Amino acid sequence: MADASAEKKLILSGIQPTGTFTLGNYIGAVRNWGPLQDEYRCLYFIADQHAITVKIEPAELRKKTLEAYAQLLACGIDLNKSLVFIQSHVPTHSQLMWVLNCSTQFGELSRMTQFKDKSRKHPDDINAGLFDYPVLMAADILIYQADMVPVGVDQMQHLELARNIANRFNGRYGETLKVPEGYIPPIGAKVMSLQDPTKKMSKSDTNPNAVILILDDKDTIIRKFKRAVTDSDTEIAFKEGKDGINNLLTIYSAVSGKTIEESVKEFEGQGYGTFKMAVGEAVADHLAPVREEYARLIQDKAYLKECYTRCAGEALKMSYRTLNKVYKKVGFVPTELR
Ligand code: ATP
Ligand code: LTN
């Protein structure tokens, strides 16, 4: 990690290893993480502990965790500048979580949209982890005294909760935890499903045509865009009621670096077919280097291990500063063991 980092503000974010990253994860979150590395001190991690709140086979979780780690690096995160680690390798997150649980109300957790959605999706397994998920997320953030958390719009409610927990803890025990800010990208904070553009594009969607994966090949990407659900109109415009076209314009603008207005102008008077093809081409070309870099990295398990081990060691050291402070504030008897 770069030295002058002591004065730099700290950025932290995580992603669950629940599958190959989607274009939504990429545009809404991960691709923004790389460019932040020069200005901020950055910590990114694979949230494997969050991933077990829904059923996942152990062998699959192990495999997906390593794949997610390699995908993060392939998306432009540089280990000379940032720490990238696996959540379960840094036990202090869950230690802090216990304390924070006691500053969190049952009522506020009951109101979390993601909890309600996931409970509806998995009615046979509404486990306590699913309910408590946002408190672990708060601990992930607060344990490093993070200044800013870059996430997609769907995570803002959890971030707001983390801020409330920090404020409540500080109110009760005195200034201890930094209250973090969210960082939402200007374009693409919520990329929608290609099959139902009123729903967010999600890794765990069971319809493969709804989701572009960052490792999809060019033909697959173009095929999925060709099938994207739009509307019965013919105008390429960014307007209320045109969810499918709005989503495609957002995606196109995000990968081409153009504004929505510039994109609308570019396709003025053209048919949906041509437009969809152009979006598919632009996305495939944009993702090609990520795919190549991933293919190289995933072969080198020894390198990946060296990276996640070193980074977790550094993260653990950093996190103890907050954990020790918190333990002292709440009145736990000090020990030489940490
Ligand atoms: P799952 O389907 O397993 O819940 P997910 O696709 O929602 O997964 P997460 O691991 O929960 O992905 O999210 C990782 C990051 O990607 C978060 O910052 C989240 O806000 C962002 N993100 C997820 N989906 C989208 C989307 N469709 N558009 C923009 N950002 C997104
Ligand atoms: N809950 C997030 C993943 C996540 C996270 C975090 C994001 C876990 N811990 C801390 C930001 C900061 C999600 O589902 N996207």
mmCIF file of all heavy atoms in Angstrom, residues 154-175:
data_model
loop_
_atom_site.group_PDB
_atom_site.id
_atom_site.type_symbol
_atom_site.label_atom_id
_atom_site.label_comp_id
_atom_site.label_asym_id
_atom_site.label_seq_id
_atom_site.Cartn_x
_atom_site.Cartn_y
_atom_site.Cartn_z
ATOM 1 N N ASP A 154 -28.929 0.176 -4.634
ATOM 2 C CA ASP A 154 -29.646 -0.801 -3.801
ATOM 3 C C ASP A 154 -29.033 -0.947 -2.406
ATOM 4 O O ASP A 154 -29.689 -1.457 -1.501
ATOM 5 C CB ASP A 154 -29.670 -2.173 -4.499
ATOM 6 C CG ASP A 154 -28.275 -2.738 -4.694
ATOM 7 O OD1 ASP A 154 -27.429 -2.040 -5.298
ATOM 8 O OD2 ASP A 154 -28.015 -3.858 -4.237
ATOM 9 N N GLN A 155 -27.784 -0.533 -2.237
ATOM 10 C CA GLN A 155 -27.133 -0.692 -0.936
ATOM 11 C C GLN A 155 -27.215 0.555 -0.067
ATOM 12 O O GLN A 155 -26.699 0.574 1.052
ATOM 13 C CB GLN A 155 -25.664 -1.094 -1.128
ATOM 14 C CG GLN A 155 -25.494 -2.488 -1.715
ATOM 15 C CD GLN A 155 -26.143 -3.551 -0.849
ATOM 16 O OE1 GLN A 155 -25.970 -3.575 0.368
ATOM 17 N NE2 GLN A 155 -26.909 -4.426 -1.473
ATOM 18 N N MET A 156 -27.853 1.615 -0.571
ATOM 19 C CA MET A 156 -27.884 2.871 0.197
ATOM 20 C C MET A 156 -28.650 2.734 1.510
ATOM 21 O O MET A 156 -28.312 3.359 2.507
ATOM 22 C CB MET A 156 -28.483 4.010 -0.650
ATOM 23 C CG MET A 156 -27.480 4.614 -1.600
ATOM 24 S SD MET A 156 -25.876 4.988 -0.842
ATOM 25 C CE MET A 156 -26.201 6.599 -0.140
ATOM 26 N N GLN A 157 -29.678 1.917 1.518
ATOM 27 C CA GLN A 157 -30.442 1.736 2.756
ATOM 28 C C GLN A 157 -29.554 1.089 3.838
ATOM 29 O O GLN A 157 -29.597 1.480 5.012
ATOM 30 C CB GLN A 157 -31.680 0.870 2.491
ATOM 31 C CG GLN A 157 -32.667 0.910 3.632
ATOM 32 C CD GLN A 157 -33.830 -0.052 3.453
ATOM 33 O OE1 GLN A 157 -33.697 -1.077 2.792
ATOM 34 N NE2 GLN A 157 -34.957 0.281 4.048
ATOM 35 N N HIS A 158 -28.733 0.123 3.408
ATOM 36 C CA HIS A 158 -27.812 -0.511 4.364
ATOM 37 C C HIS A 158 -26.762 0.488 4.853
ATOM 38 O O HIS A 158 -26.353 0.465 6.016
ATOM 39 C CB HIS A 158 -27.104 -1.703 3.704
ATOM 40 C CG HIS A 158 -27.999 -2.877 3.480
ATOM 41 N ND1 HIS A 158 -27.697 -3.897 2.613
ATOM 42 C CD2 HIS A 158 -29.206 -3.197 4.022
ATOM 43 C CE1 HIS A 158 -28.665 -4.793 2.631
ATOM 44 N NE2 HIS A 158 -29.598 -4.394 3.469
ATOM 45 N N LEU A 159 -26.330 1.340 3.943
ATOM 46 C CA LEU A 159 -25.321 2.318 4.331
ATOM 47 C C LEU A 159 -25.901 3.320 5.328
ATOM 48 O O LEU A 159 -25.248 3.702 6.310
ATOM 49 C CB LEU A 159 -24.805 3.043 3.080
ATOM 50 C CG LEU A 159 -23.607 3.909 3.406
ATOM 51 C CD1 LEU A 159 -22.395 3.040 3.701
ATOM 52 C CD2 LEU A 159 -23.302 4.849 2.280
ATOM 53 N N GLU A 160 -27.134 3.715 5.091
ATOM 54 C CA GLU A 160 -27.806 4.633 6.000
ATOM 55 C C GLU A 160 -27.912 3.997 7.396
ATOM 56 O O GLU A 160 -27.694 4.650 8.414
ATOM 57 C CB GLU A 160 -29.201 4.944 5.427
ATOM 58 C CG GLU A 160 -29.844 6.217 5.885
ATOM 59 C CD GLU A 160 -28.910 7.428 5.900
ATOM 60 O OE1 GLU A 160 -28.234 7.741 4.894
ATOM 61 O OE2 GLU A 160 -28.857 8.050 6.978
ATOM 62 N N LEU A 161 -28.191 2.698 7.416
ATOM 63 C CA LEU A 161 -28.272 1.980 8.692
ATOM 64 C C LEU A 161 -26.898 1.995 9.388
ATOM 65 O O LEU A 161 -26.800 2.230 10.597
ATOM 66 C CB LEU A 161 -28.734 0.534 8.474
ATOM 67 C CG LEU A 161 -28.800 -0.286 9.755
ATOM 68 C CD1 LEU A 161 -30.044 0.075 10.568
ATOM 69 C CD2 LEU A 161 -28.796 -1.779 9.472
ATOM 70 N N ALA A 162 -25.844 1.772 8.618
ATOM 71 C CA ALA A 162 -24.492 1.784 9.198
ATOM 72 C C ALA A 162 -24.209 3.151 9.825
ATOM 73 O O ALA A 162 -23.611 3.246 10.913
ATOM 74 C CB ALA A 162 -23.451 1.464 8.121
ATOM 75 N N ARG A 163 -24.656 4.201 9.157
ATOM 76 C CA ARG A 163 -24.467 5.555 9.703
ATOM 77 C C ARG A 163 -25.250 5.721 11.007
ATOM 78 O O ARG A 163 -24.734 6.273 11.985
ATOM 79 C CB ARG A 163 -24.925 6.607 8.684
ATOM 80 C CG ARG A 163 -24.027 6.707 7.450
ATOM 81 C CD ARG A 163 -24.715 7.453 6.309
ATOM 82 N NE ARG A 163 -25.237 8.744 6.723
ATOM 83 C CZ ARG A 163 -24.526 9.874 6.780
ATOM 84 N NH1 ARG A 163 -23.269 9.854 6.403
ATOM 85 N NH2 ARG A 163 -25.066 10.992 7.182
ATOM 86 N N ASN A 164 -26.464 5.212 11.015
ATOM 87 C CA ASN A 164 -27.276 5.310 12.240
ATOM 88 C C ASN A 164 -26.641 4.527 13.389
ATOM 89 O O ASN A 164 -26.628 4.987 14.532
ATOM 90 C CB ASN A 164 -28.690 4.767 11.992
ATOM 91 C CG ASN A 164 -29.487 5.685 11.080
ATOM 92 O OD1 ASN A 164 -29.141 6.856 10.913
ATOM 93 N ND2 ASN A 164 -30.532 5.159 10.452
ATOM 94 N N ILE A 165 -26.131 3.342 13.072
ATOM 95 C CA ILE A 165 -25.508 2.522 14.124
ATOM 96 C C ILE A 165 -24.278 3.257 14.686
ATOM 97 O O ILE A 165 -24.075 3.324 15.898
ATOM 98 C CB ILE A 165 -25.113 1.126 13.577
ATOM 99 C CG1 ILE A 165 -26.371 0.340 13.160
ATOM 100 C CG2 ILE A 165 -24.297 0.346 14.601
ATOM 101 C CD1 ILE A 165 -26.084 -0.997 12.473
ATOM 102 N N ALA A 166 -23.479 3.814 13.781
ATOM 103 C CA ALA A 166 -22.265 4.531 14.229
ATOM 104 C C ALA A 166 -22.660 5.706 15.132
ATOM 105 O O ALA A 166 -22.090 5.884 16.216
ATOM 106 C CB ALA A 166 -21.476 5.027 13.024
ATOM 107 N N ASN A 167 -23.657 6.468 14.703
ATOM 108 C CA ASN A 167 -24.095 7.619 15.502
ATOM 109 C C ASN A 167 -24.629 7.190 16.867
ATOM 110 O O ASN A 167 -24.345 7.814 17.882
ATOM 111 C CB ASN A 167 -25.192 8.399 14.757
ATOM 112 C CG ASN A 167 -24.587 9.363 13.747
ATOM 113 O OD1 ASN A 167 -23.566 10.000 14.019
ATOM 114 N ND2 ASN A 167 -25.193 9.450 12.568
ATOM 115 N N ARG A 168 -25.373 6.090 16.871
ATOM 116 C CA ARG A 168 -25.951 5.617 18.130
ATOM 117 C C ARG A 168 -24.843 5.146 19.076
ATOM 118 O O ARG A 168 -24.848 5.452 20.269
ATOM 119 C CB ARG A 168 -26.925 4.478 17.835
ATOM 120 C CG ARG A 168 -27.846 4.187 18.972
ATOM 121 C CD ARG A 168 -28.931 3.212 18.573
ATOM 122 N NE ARG A 168 -29.756 3.691 17.483
ATOM 123 C CZ ARG A 168 -30.066 2.964 16.406
ATOM 124 N NH1 ARG A 168 -29.634 1.729 16.276
ATOM 125 N NH2 ARG A 168 -30.837 3.464 15.466
ATOM 126 N N PHE A 169 -23.873 4.426 18.506
ATOM 127 C CA PHE A 169 -22.756 3.947 19.333
ATOM 128 C C PHE A 169 -21.990 5.140 19.911
ATOM 129 O O PHE A 169 -21.696 5.196 21.107
ATOM 130 C CB PHE A 169 -21.817 3.057 18.494
ATOM 131 C CG PHE A 169 -20.723 2.426 19.316
ATOM 132 C CD1 PHE A 169 -20.887 1.149 19.843
ATOM 133 C CD2 PHE A 169 -19.543 3.119 19.593
ATOM 134 C CE1 PHE A 169 -19.883 0.568 20.623
ATOM 135 C CE2 PHE A 169 -18.548 2.547 20.374
ATOM 136 C CZ PHE A 169 -18.722 1.273 20.883
ATOM 137 N N ASN A 170 -21.706 6.111 19.038
ATOM 138 C CA ASN A 170 -20.965 7.304 19.486
ATOM 139 C C ASN A 170 -21.747 8.069 20.553
ATOM 140 O O ASN A 170 -21.159 8.583 21.507
ATOM 141 C CB ASN A 170 -20.674 8.233 18.297
ATOM 142 C CG ASN A 170 -19.663 7.630 17.322
ATOM 143 O OD1 ASN A 170 -18.943 6.700 17.666
ATOM 144 N ND2 ASN A 170 -19.610 8.165 16.116
ATOM 145 N N GLY A 171 -23.057 8.121 20.372
ATOM 146 C CA GLY A 171 -23.900 8.831 21.335
ATOM 147 C C GLY A 171 -23.844 8.163 22.701
ATOM 148 O O GLY A 171 -23.820 8.820 23.735
ATOM 149 N N ARG A 172 -23.773 6.865 22.691
ATOM 150 C CA ARG A 172 -23.813 6.125 23.962
ATOM 151 C C ARG A 172 -22.440 6.036 24.642
ATOM 152 O O ARG A 172 -22.334 6.150 25.861
ATOM 153 C CB ARG A 172 -24.343 4.728 23.649
ATOM 154 C CG ARG A 172 -24.464 3.852 24.857
ATOM 155 C CD ARG A 172 -25.358 2.656 24.561
ATOM 156 N NE ARG A 172 -25.377 1.769 25.703
ATOM 157 C CZ ARG A 172 -25.718 0.504 25.665
ATOM 158 N NH1 ARG A 172 -26.105 -0.030 24.528
ATOM 159 N NH2 ARG A 172 -25.704 -0.230 26.746
ATOM 160 N N TYR A 173 -21.377 5.828 23.815
ATOM 161 C CA TYR A 173 -20.050 5.570 24.398
ATOM 162 C C TYR A 173 -19.039 6.687 24.168
ATOM 163 O O TYR A 173 -17.892 6.574 24.581
ATOM 164 C CB TYR A 173 -19.474 4.271 23.816
ATOM 165 C CG TYR A 173 -20.301 3.047 24.136
ATOM 166 C CD1 TYR A 173 -21.101 2.450 23.167
ATOM 167 C CD2 TYR A 173 -20.258 2.472 25.417
ATOM 168 C CE1 TYR A 173 -21.853 1.317 23.461
ATOM 169 C CE2 TYR A 173 -21.007 1.346 25.713
ATOM 170 C CZ TYR A 173 -21.809 0.766 24.737
ATOM 171 O OH TYR A 173 -22.537 -0.353 25.030
ATOM 172 N N GLY A 174 -19.431 7.724 23.435
ATOM 173 C CA GLY A 174 -18.471 8.791 23.089
ATOM 174 C C GLY A 174 -17.894 8.538 21.704
ATOM 175 O O GLY A 174 -17.876 7.396 21.228
ATOM 176 N N GLU A 175 -17.396 9.623 21.044
ATOM 177 C CA GLU A 175 -16.889 9.559 19.656
ATOM 178 C C GLU A 175 -15.912 8.400 19.470
ATOM 179 O O GLU A 175 -14.829 8.407 20.056
ATOM 180 C CB GLU A 175 -16.160 10.867 19.301
ATOM 181 C CG GLU A 175 -17.026 11.987 18.745
ATOM 182 C CD GLU A 175 -18.063 11.560 17.727
ATOM 183 O OE1 GLU A 175 -17.656 11.029 16.672
ATOM 184 O OE2 GLU A 175 -19.270 11.761 17.989
#
